[in-house]
Amino acid sequence: MIPRGLVLLILFCVASTVFGAEIETIVMPGEVIQGHAEYEQECKKCHTSFDQSGQKQLCLDCHEKVRHDVDNVLGFHGKNRNANTSECRSCHTDHKGRDANVVILNRGTFDHHATDFKLEGAHLSVACGSCHEPEKLYREAPGKCIDCHEKQDVHKGEMGKVCSDCHDSKSWTLAKYDHSKTKFPLKGAHKDALCESCHPNRKYKDIPKLCIACHVLDDAHGGEFGNECEKCHQETEWKKRDFDHTRDTKFPLRFTHAKVKCASCHKDPLFKKTLSTSCVDCHRKDDSHNRRFGSKCNNCHRDKSWSDIRFSHDKDTKFVLNGLHKKVDCLSCHPGELYGQELAQDCLTCHVNDDVHHGQQGKQCQRCHDEQGWGKNVVFSHGVTRFPLIGLHDAVPCEECHLQGTFKDSPTDCLSCHEGEDTHEGSLTGKCESCHNPNGWNFWRFDHDQQTDYKLEGKHKGLACNSCHTKPVEEKIEMATKCVSCHEQDDVHDNRFGRHCERCHITEDFSEIRM
């Protein structure tokens, strides 16, 4: 037979397993709030057996938004230290009945700074119910300005939903918008302009930023200078120009250019066509060179006056103009395009027709001629030629020897000029300089004893040259030195004693015999 105590124990265990929920409900201190009513029979949803510290985690498992705030330090539960570290039950009790209010909150003493929306300015005097509706959670209260002030938005949403960029909590109508943070900062006179001047009908989007949009009536140029008004005008005053042609362009206006009207050069819309800065584009009619000198007019002309020439051929080129060259017209040497041809600097390039030497004297005309005149002040040193002028030759006019301008072909032998004065009739060759000298034709210096192989002795000394030299000779004088060559007719021996007459006869007298 089973003991009675054991039977009761078995029945109790079975009953606790089957009717556990009813037993926990029996020992429950009271009904849960209406929000937890569906879980009232599931105690483990909120309680962990024999562990009260685990209850907070069970709360956060259901209240996910609260957990999010705690983990990210947001809202009241995330920013309030007590709410963050304490157990949920310390503020939110339960089992007080269906209609119990487990949110312990005193609206009169609640510090709104512990939330994501601090009460400042005019918000401090606003009733809680204005933002927190009775049937909604406190966390569901709107946090953006537009949520409460949409009807007061005179911009009708055109300025976006970040109202705090202009308005603050002190006063909705007191705007503090910083225009400098836009793409159009207000400077100069724009600071004093009324908002409505640029934003008619409180339109703030797609407002044009070009000056001409507001100042079309102030454009005295009638649109010819384009829409970039800011390049000339200032924001401090429309009539005050800030444009400096010298500073702001690559074409500084100086002297006469500074007095020229804008429209004289800018005939087309200012920014639609880039003007050339070449002088000839404006001064084509003033170009007396007909473009032959190119387009670099500023190399010669000045801004002060077109006729004021600053070009110096002596300083700006490698060819200094001296003498008559100073008076020569530019076109005489520059018949073609100035920068298209490179002129030679030798004299013959221009004076080839004046060269009476026909090129035989070379191209260095400056050795004899100068720029004062082609035929004047001819400076030539005959001493550096093959025929230095010595003695009487130095006083002879050039034309006496140089009948033509081709000096190079002029002969240097004496007979070319003195053939008529040759009393030897060519018998002593044409090397007159062997005996004669330039100081005088009759001042001859030939020494027969020293310069030949035949000494003149006795009666031979007084003989005239042509006594022996009777035949013309061209190059070298070759004559027999035997007595019989000249005295054959005087040989009374009829050549019986041979041809060595000097063995008996002497030069003093042929008839005188020496034994």
Side-chain angles (χ1 to χ4, degrees):
M1 184 173 181
I2 301 174
R4 182 179 181 184
L6 179 60
V7 174
L8 292 175
L9 178 62
I10 294 172
L11 291 175
F12 178 80
C13 291
V14 173
S16 61
T17 302
V18 177
F19 305 105
E22 288 79 357
I23 295 173
E24 289 181 345
T25 304
I26 294 173
V27 299
M28 181 174 65
E31 291 183 338
V32 298
I33 63 173
Q34 183 64 39
H36 292 162
E38 60 179 306
Y39 306 116
E40 191 171 51
Q41 302 300 320
E42 300 179 51
C43 299
K44 62 181 180 181
K45 280 284 188 178
C46 300
H47 301 280
T48 301
S49 300
F50 310 109
D51 184 11
Q52 292 185 351
S53 62
Q55 185 176 357
K56 180 177 181 179
Q57 295 303 319
L58 293 175
C59 294
L60 294 178
D61 287 343
C62 284
H63 299 279
E64 295 178 355
K65 293 183 178 179
V66 176
R67 176 186 286 278
H68 178 269
D69 291 347
V70 172
D71 292 342
N72 294 280
V73 193
L74 298 173
F76 175 77
H77 292 93
K79 294 184 176 180
N80 190 290
R81 183 176 181 183
N82 292 330
N84 192 359
T85 59
S86 302
E87 293 292 330
C88 301
R89 63 178 178 273
S90 61
C91 296
H92 306 287
T93 60
D94 205 341
H95 299 286
K96 298 293 184 180
R98 293 286 191 265
D99 298 329
N101 184 7
V102 297
V103 179
I104 303 174
L105 177 66
N106 188 339
R107 291 189 175 188
T109 61
F110 180 74
D111 185 3
H112 221 283
H113 282 70
T115 69
D116 293 331
F117 192 89
K118 296 180 181 180
L119 295 183
E120 297 175 336
H123 287 152
L124 291 171
S125 59
V126 176
C128 300
S130 298
C131 299
H132 299 285
E133 298 180 13
E135 300 299 327
K136 291 185 179 181
L137 300 175
Y138 287 110
R139 68 182 302 113
E140 295 178 353
K144 296 181 180 179
C145 305
I146 197 67
D147 294 333
C148 293
H149 298 281
E150 185 174 7
K151 293 182 179 181
Q152 296 172 278
D153 180 18
V154 296
H155 315 301
K156 302 184 185 302
E158 290 186 357
M159 299 299 291
K161 296 182 179 182
V162 187
C163 308
S164 55
D165 287 345
C166 304
H167 304 276
D168 59 23
S169 58
K170 292 181 180 180
S171 174
W172 181 259
T173 58
L174 183 61
K176 60 178 181 63
Y177 183 71
D178 187 359
H179 218 285
S180 62
K181 294 181 179 179
T182 69
K183 296 181 180 180
F184 192 89
L186 299 181
K187 299 178 182 179
H190 286 151
K191 291 181 179 180
D192 301 327
L194 296 176
C195 302
E196 292 78 9
S197 300
C198 300
H199 303 283
N201 298 324
R202 293 178 178 175
K203 181 181 179 182
Y204 298 95
K205 283 189 176 181
D206 302 325
I207 300 299
K209 300 178 182 62
L210 293 177
C211 306
I212 199 67
C214 292
H215 296 280
V216 62
L217 297 179
D218 300 319
D219 183 14
H221 316 298
E224 292 183 358
F225 286 0
N227 297 330
E228 299 182 45
C229 312
E230 68 277 3
K231 290 192 174 181
C232 300
H233 300 277
Q234 298 180 7
E235 293 167 308
T236 55
E237 184 179 354
W238 178 264
K239 294 182 179 180
K240 187 176 181 180
R241 293 188 303 174
D242 190 35
F243 179 73
D244 186 337
H245 209 287
T246 301
R247 180 193 65 200
D248 301 330
T249 71
K250 297 179 180 180
F251 191 85
L253 296 181
R254 294 189 291 259
F255 302 110
T256 306
H257 283 152
K259 302 176 183 179
V260 175
K261 293 183 179 180
C262 305
S264 298
C265 299
H266 300 282
K267 298 178 181 179
D268 295 315
L270 186 62
F271 298 101
K272 289 185 178 180
K273 181 179 181 181
T274 301
L275 290 184
S276 171
T277 56
S278 177
C279 306
V280 74
D281 290 330
C282 288
H283 296 281
R284 192 178 304 276
K285 294 182 179 179
D286 302 319
D287 182 15
S288 58
H289 316 299
N290 295 324
R291 300 298 297 275
R292 288 195 299 270
F293 287 1
S295 59
K296 299 180 181 179
C297 311
N298 52 304
N299 286 348
C300 301
H301 300 276
R302 299 185 181 183
D303 298 347
K304 191 173 184 180
S305 174
W306 181 262
S307 59
D308 185 12
I309 309 298
R310 66 177 177 181
F311 177 74
S312 174
H313 211 286
D314 298 347
K315 295 180 180 179
D316 300 331
T317 71
K318 297 179 181 179
F319 191 85
V320 179
L321 298 181
N322 294 321
L324 295 180
H325 282 156
K326 292 182 179 180
K327 302 178 181 179
V328 175
D329 185 75
C330 303
L331 296 178
S332 299
C333 299
H334 301 282
E337 294 184 6
L338 184 64
Y339 298 98
Q341 59 178 174
E342 185 175 352
L343 297 182
Q345 298 182 15
D346 61 285
C347 306
L348 283 180
T349 300
C350 291
H351 296 282
V352 62
N353 294 329
D354 300 320
D355 181 21
V356 296
H357 317 303
H358 301 294
Q360 292 188 0
Q361 294 300 316
K363 296 182 179 182
Q364 297 180 348
C365 309
Q366 66 274 13
R367 292 185 305 177
C368 304
H369 304 276
D370 62 20
E371 291 147 316
Q372 301 301 325
W374 187 257
K376 297 179 180 179
N377 302 326
V378 179
V379 179
F380 178 73
S381 176
H382 224 287
V384 299
T385 68
R386 294 174 299 167
F387 194 87
L389 298 181
I390 303 173
L392 295 178
H393 285 154
D394 192 34
V396 176
C398 303
E399 294 78 8
E400 291 290 332
C401 300
H402 301 287
L403 301 179
Q404 302 295 329
T406 55
F407 300 114
K408 192 174 183 179
D409 293 336
S410 299
T412 57
D413 61 291
C414 303
L415 286 180
S416 298
C417 291
H418 299 283
E419 186 176 8
E421 300 175 70
D422 181 17
T423 57
H424 313 298
E425 296 180 352
S427 61
L428 297 180
T429 73
K431 298 180 180 180
C432 309
E433 68 274 9
S434 299
C435 302
H436 303 275
N437 65 66
N439 292 323
W441 186 256
N442 294 325
F443 299 134
W444 56 283
R445 59 185 179 181
F446 185 73
D447 186 347
H448 210 285
D449 297 343
Q450 298 294 327
Q451 295 177 249
T452 70
D453 296 332
Y454 191 83
K455 292 184 178 181
L456 297 181
E457 298 175 337
K459 290 293 183 69
H460 285 157
K461 289 183 178 181
L463 293 177
C465 299
N466 55 8
S467 298
C468 299
H469 299 281
T470 59
K471 297 180 180 180
V473 178
E474 293 184 359
E475 293 294 332
K476 185 177 180 180
I477 300 176
E478 295 181 355
M479 296 186 67
T481 59
K482 300 293 184 179
C483 301
V484 72
S485 300
C486 291
H487 296 282
E488 186 174 7
Q489 69 275 16
D490 299 320
D491 182 11
V492 295
H493 312 297
D494 293 330
N495 204 21
R496 292 193 300 273
F497 290 168
R499 303 179 68 83
H500 296 283
C501 307
E502 67 274 10
R503 290 185 295 181
C504 300
H505 300 275
I506 61 176
T507 57
E508 292 294 335
D509 188 354
F510 194 79
S511 59
E512 185 177 345
I513 305 300
R514 60 181 177 182
M515 298 300 295

